[in-house]
């Protein structure tokens, strides 16, 4: 399975060269063989997946169209609801929570023939960039097991990298699809805010959260995006019902496109090999007819601060529902209602989640609201205006995804440093823009490097085209 | 936590006089009201199964008075 793209596989399934059940069995065997080492999955959908494979095969054999993802095994981050499967969000709080309905993206995947193979590991409630904050243990990088896969969608990345599935869904609140994609040598897309329905996604920071596809190739990601996108009456922030065929425009190239590279992103702590990859990517774009120029983007150093203030504030509100009353974990150790709330919170959430909720409550509290939360919303506008100004002149912005190309599992990285490492990814969330991470080059240890291409809202077609070109030239 | 607070407090250096807060990206968003439809009983069963404690059709909550 490791060399097959989704499109090739769908073609082989349709021609009868591959039986759907065999493909699913292959994934399950890979999971059984490898997941004790990698820990990519929290739960599996084994029996349902085999049953669905048999049903889809029967429909196909009867001459029916089973959809553009017909028979493709897909893994789902464990904060997206799949009816009848557990949704833990990587937390003890939801250890036994059984999803009563499916997210819109799941319905869309299934309507198009995809087979849900299981739910993947993640940082608890998507708060983290290592997948080490999961209650269910850390996930390992598929390229080198001594390294983290990134996060928070680390399980979704590792599942693809180890051939336990073909594509996966993650969620991206501040880089949680793009950063693990970069660390694991995969393609990861954060669509424009509103492009993909959030109905059935457990909320972290509602004004930033966006579900995004991950895959081995730009083509796989484009195809999955085509399936999951679209307006949904169950998510009032979802936008137009665009009918797009991204696959047909992938090879259009970048001739005439204007690409900006922010000078501010080449900070002293940016690893040399990543700097080199971005410069090489710029050369490839230039050699293929794009006009590449350096640009200045103001206030970038404050983007991470604004992001964390707003994200934690929204998280403190969203996670207040996990109080031990209606669903989820409830402490057994209490004598009063107040004590039940307190102990449920302390026992049910991990340290990182408690820290972010506390920070959120602090920045929203009387006397600190204006100084922090309101200020952050104003800084968000300044950053958005700055990018809007650039997007009047430029089609794309090219940048690194991460400051380093790998972090060892054994490294005890300071949490503030980890937050600051989100410098390149958070702007897309603050402004709602689409951004993709595509592998381009490797460091001296053979770890993959990702470069990021960001575009204005709803410019997925253009960023996919540029990413497709870089993918073809990767390693030249 | 202290390090985190010290870090985010640096945001005060940005001059934001006269800048409006950006609370939402799209101004065309509208609240959508779902139809007032009766849900099937299965759904209720699923909700009760997710409750920390339940009895028949009810979620058991800690005594407050």
């Amino acid at each position: 399975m490791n060399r097959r793209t989704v499109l090739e596989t769908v073609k082989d399934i349709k021609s009868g060269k591959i039986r759907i059940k065999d493909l699913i069995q292959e994934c399950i065997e890979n999971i059984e063989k490898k997941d004790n080492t990698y820990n990519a999955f929290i739960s599996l959908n084994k029996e349902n997946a085999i049953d669905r494979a048999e049903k889809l095969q029967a429909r196909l054999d009867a001459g029916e169209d089973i959809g553009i993802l017909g028979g493709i095994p897909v893994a789902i981050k464990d904060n997206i609801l799949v009816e009848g499967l557990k949704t833990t969000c990587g937390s003890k709080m939801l250890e036994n929570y059984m999803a009563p309905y499916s997210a819109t993206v799941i319905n869309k995947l299934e309507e198009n023939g995809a087979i849900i193979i299981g739910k993947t590991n993640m940082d608890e409630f998507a708060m983290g960039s290592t997948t080490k904050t999961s209650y269910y243990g850390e996930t390992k990088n598929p390229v080198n097991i001594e390294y983290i896969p990134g996060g928070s969608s680390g399980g979704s990345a590792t599942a693809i990298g180890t051939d336990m599935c073909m594509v996966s869904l993650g969620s991206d609140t501040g880089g949680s699809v793009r950063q693990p994609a970069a660390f694991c040598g995969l393609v990861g897309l954060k669509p424009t805010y509103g492009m993909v329905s959030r109905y059935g996604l457990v909320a972290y920071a509602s004004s930033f959260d966006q579900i995004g596809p991950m895959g081995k190739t730009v083509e796989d990601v484009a195809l999955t995006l085509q399936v999951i996108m679209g307006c949904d009456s169950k998510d009032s922030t979802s936008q137009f019902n665009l009918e797009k065929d991204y696959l047909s425009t992938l090879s259009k190239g970048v001739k005439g496109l204007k690409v900006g590279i922010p000078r501010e992103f080449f900070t002293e702590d940016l690893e040399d090999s990543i700097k080199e990859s971005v410069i090489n990517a710029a050369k490839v774009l230039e050699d293929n007819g794009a006009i590449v120029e350096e640009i200045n983007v103001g206030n970038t150093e404050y983007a991470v601060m604004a992001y964390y203030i707003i994200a934690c504030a929204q998280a403190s509100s969203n996670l207040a529902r996990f109080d031990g009353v209606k669903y989820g974990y409830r402490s057994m150790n209490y004598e009063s209602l107040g004590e039940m709330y307190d102990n449920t919170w302390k026992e049910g959430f991990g340290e990182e989640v408690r820290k972010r909720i506390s920070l959120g409550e602090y920045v929203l509290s009387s006397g600190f609201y204006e100084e922090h939360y309101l200020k952050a919303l104003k800084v968000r506008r300044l950053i958005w205006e700055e990018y809007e100004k650039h997007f009047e002149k430029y089609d794309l912005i090219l940048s690194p995804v991460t400051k380093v190309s790998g972090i060892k599992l054994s490294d005890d990285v300071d949490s503030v440093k980890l937050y600051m490492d989100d410098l390149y990814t958070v702007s897309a969330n603050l402004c709602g823009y689409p951004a993709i991470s595509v592998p381009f080059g490797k460091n001296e240890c053979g770890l993959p490097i990702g470069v990021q291409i960001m575009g204005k809202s709803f410019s997925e077609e253009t960023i996919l085209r540029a990413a497709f070109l870089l993918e073809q030239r990767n390693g030249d | 936590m202290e390090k985190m607070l010290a870090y985010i407090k640096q945001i005060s250096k940005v001059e934001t006089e006269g800048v409006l807060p950006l609370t939402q990206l799209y101004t065309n968003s509208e609240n959508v009201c779902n139809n007032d439809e009766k849900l099937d009983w299965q759904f209720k069963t699923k909700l009760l199964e997710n409750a920390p404690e339940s009895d028949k059709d009810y979620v058991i909550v800690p005594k407050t008075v």
Side-chain angles (χ1 to χ4, degrees):
Chain A
M1 191 170 80
N2 59 351
R3 284 193 188 86
R4 289 199 297 258
T5 69
V6 170
L7 266 189
E8 283 166 2
T9 309
V10 168
K11 208 172 143 195
D12 286 348
I13 288 172
K14 281 187 179 160
S15 70
K17 214 167 156 186
I18 298 174
R19 305 289 290 173
I20 301 172
K21 194 177 167 185
D22 293 342
L23 180 67
I24 298 303
Q25 291 279 22
E26 193 184 331
C27 284
I28 291 168
E29 278 165 27
N30 276 338
I31 294 169
E32 285 169 350
K33 205 159 53 183
K34 299 176 182 176
D35 210 34
N36 278 341
T37 305
Y38 289 98
N39 196 29
F41 284 89
I42 291 178
S43 59
L44 292 179
N45 192 29
K46 194 175 159 182
E47 274 116 49
N48 286 338
I50 292 171
D51 183 50
R52 185 162 156 76
E54 284 170 348
K55 283 179 181 155
L56 282 170
Q57 189 68 57
R59 281 175 53 199
L60 184 69
D61 293 345
E64 268 186 59
D65 179 6
I66 58 168
I68 58 171
L69 288 178
I72 297 299
V74 183
I76 307 294
K77 186 174 180 179
D78 208 20
N79 59 351
I80 300 170
L81 304 191
V82 180
E83 187 178 352
L85 294 186
K86 276 186 186 175
T87 297
T88 69
C89 291
S91 180
K92 181 181 178 181
M93 186 60 83
L94 291 176
E95 194 173 6
N96 297 309
Y97 181 75
M98 197 64 84
Y101 62 93
S102 283
T104 297
V105 289
I106 301 301
N107 292 332
K108 281 175 176 271
L109 283 173
E110 291 191 329
E111 280 161 19
N112 283 279
I115 298 177
I116 311 300
I117 199 93
K119 306 291 297 293
T120 56
N121 201 8
M122 56 182 282
D123 280 300
E124 188 178 7
F125 283 99
M127 296 181 191
S129 49
T130 61
T131 316
K132 282 169 84 173
T133 71
S134 171
Y135 175 67
Y136 304 92
E138 59 195 23
T139 296
K140 294 187 173 67
N141 188 305
V143 180
N144 185 331
I145 59 165
E146 287 181 17
Y147 286 80
I148 61 158
S152 62
S153 312
S156 292
T158 296
I160 300 171
T162 50
D163 294 321
M164 300 183 201
C165 67
M166 295 197 75
V167 286
S168 63
L169 294 187
S171 64
D172 191 315
T173 304
S176 286
V177 162
R178 290 161 285 158
Q179 186 252 28
F183 279 164
C184 298
L186 302 168
V187 181
L189 172 74
K190 183 204 93 74
T192 305
Y193 184 79
M195 184 87 154
V196 176
S197 169
R198 291 179 296 115
Y199 179 73
L201 168 71
V202 179
Y204 161 19
S206 309
S207 74
F208 300 147
D209 295 339
Q210 188 63 186
I211 294 172
M214 301 170 93
K216 279 188 180 171
T217 66
V218 174
E219 197 181 65
D220 290 357
V221 163
L223 185 65
T224 312
L225 175 67
Q226 256 171 239
V227 169
I228 62 172
M229 62 187 267
C231 194
D232 179 13
S233 63
K234 290 170 178 163
D235 173 3
S236 60
T237 61
S238 80
Q239 298 293 304
F240 333 102
N241 226 349
L242 299 163
E243 287 285 330
K244 284 273 183 185
D245 178 7
Y246 294 119
L247 294 178
S248 64
T249 56
L250 280 183
S251 51
K252 263 190 165 179
V254 295
K255 198 172 176 186
L257 292 182
K258 291 199 82 179
V259 182
I261 305 182
R263 282 191 189 92
E264 294 77 7
F265 284 176
F266 289 85
T267 47
E268 273 183 17
D269 54 353
L270 176 64
E271 199 177 282
D272 287 343
S273 54
I274 298 177
K275 203 182 290 180
E276 205 179 305
S277 282
V278 176
I279 292 167
N280 289 341
K283 276 183 198 156
V284 167
L285 294 174
E286 214 165 32
D287 291 347
N288 284 274
I291 300 147
V292 183
E293 289 172 353
E294 285 188 35
I295 57 172
N296 291 316
V297 183
N299 290 317
T300 49
E301 68 270 41
Y302 299 106
V304 179
M305 292 168 213
Y307 167 77
Y308 274 97
I309 292 169
I310 299 166
C312 291
Q314 293 180 2
S316 73
S317 167
N318 278 326
L319 272 66
R321 72 194 66 175
F322 302 110
D323 54 8
V325 175
K326 297 178 294 299
Y327 49 78
Y329 176 80
R330 180 190 292 173
S331 172
M332 302 297 283
N333 173 32
Y334 66 89
E335 281 175 12
S336 65
L337 182 67
E339 210 172 47
M340 190 279 284
Y341 286 143
D342 274 356
N343 292 340
T344 295
W345 194 79
K346 281 178 199 156
E347 295 164 22
F349 289 131
E351 192 189 338
E352 185 62 30
V353 174
R354 292 201 307 269
K355 197 161 71 179
R356 292 195 195 197
I357 293 173
S358 298
L359 183 76
E361 285 168 349
Y362 171 80
V363 298
L364 288 175
S365 59
S366 174
F368 298 102
Y369 173 87
E370 286 177 4
E371 191 187 336
H372 296 100
Y373 187 65
L374 196 61
K375 184 87 178 178
L377 290 176
K378 289 178 179 180
V379 172
R380 184 184 187 185
R381 179 175 294 280
L382 289 175
I383 291 166
W384 175 73
E385 284 174 349
E386 187 80 15
Y387 277 106
E388 285 289 294
K389 189 182 78 190
H390 285 299
F391 280 133
E392 280 174 17
K393 194 172 169 197
Y394 297 94
D395 300 288
L396 301 169
I397 289 178
L398 177 70
S399 73
V401 183
T402 56
K403 287 186 178 176
V404 293
S405 47
I407 298 171
K408 283 201 164 178
L409 278 162
S410 54
D411 288 349
D412 190 16
V413 187
D414 175 72
S415 61
V416 174
K417 194 195 167 297
L418 278 175
Y419 299 161
M420 287 163 82
D421 283 354
D422 296 338
L423 173 69
Y424 310 118
T425 51
V426 293
S427 295
N429 302 83
L430 283 167
C431 305
Y433 298 138
I436 196 166
S437 170
V438 61
F440 200 80
K442 285 181 178 170
N443 77 355
E444 62 283 3
C445 306
L447 291 172
I449 291 169
V451 295
Q452 178 176 254
I453 304 161
M454 184 166 81
K456 54 189 150 195
S457 291
F458 303 104
S459 68
E460 275 79 355
E461 185 184 314
T462 315
I463 67 169
L464 285 164
R465 268 164 55 193
F468 186 70
L469 176 75
L470 292 182
E471 182 180 55
Q472 310 304 307
R473 303 289 187 275
N474 185 16
D476 280 3
Chain B
M1 191 70 182
E2 275 172 24
K3 275 168 96 177
M4 209 164 157
L5 284 174
Y7 173 64
I8 63 159
K9 277 181 185 294
Q10 293 175 57
I11 203 164
S12 62
K13 291 179 196 165
V14 189
E15 176 52 58
T16 54
E17 185 67 39
V19 178
L20 291 172
L22 182 62
T23 50
Q24 55 179 4
L25 291 163
Y26 307 120
T27 49
N28 60 342
S29 294
E30 286 173 19
N31 273 333
V32 180
C33 295
N34 288 329
N35 293 332
D36 190 10
E37 289 169 346
K38 192 176 160 188
L39 293 169
D40 62 50
W41 289 98
Q42 275 273 302
F43 194 75
K44 190 175 80 175
T45 313
K46 286 174 184 173
L47 293 180
L48 286 165
E49 278 170 3
N50 278 320
E53 278 184 82
S54 62
D55 182 21
K56 291 177 189 149
D57 280 354
Y58 301 96
V59 173
I60 299 176
V61 297
K63 207 170 176 178
T64 52
V65 284

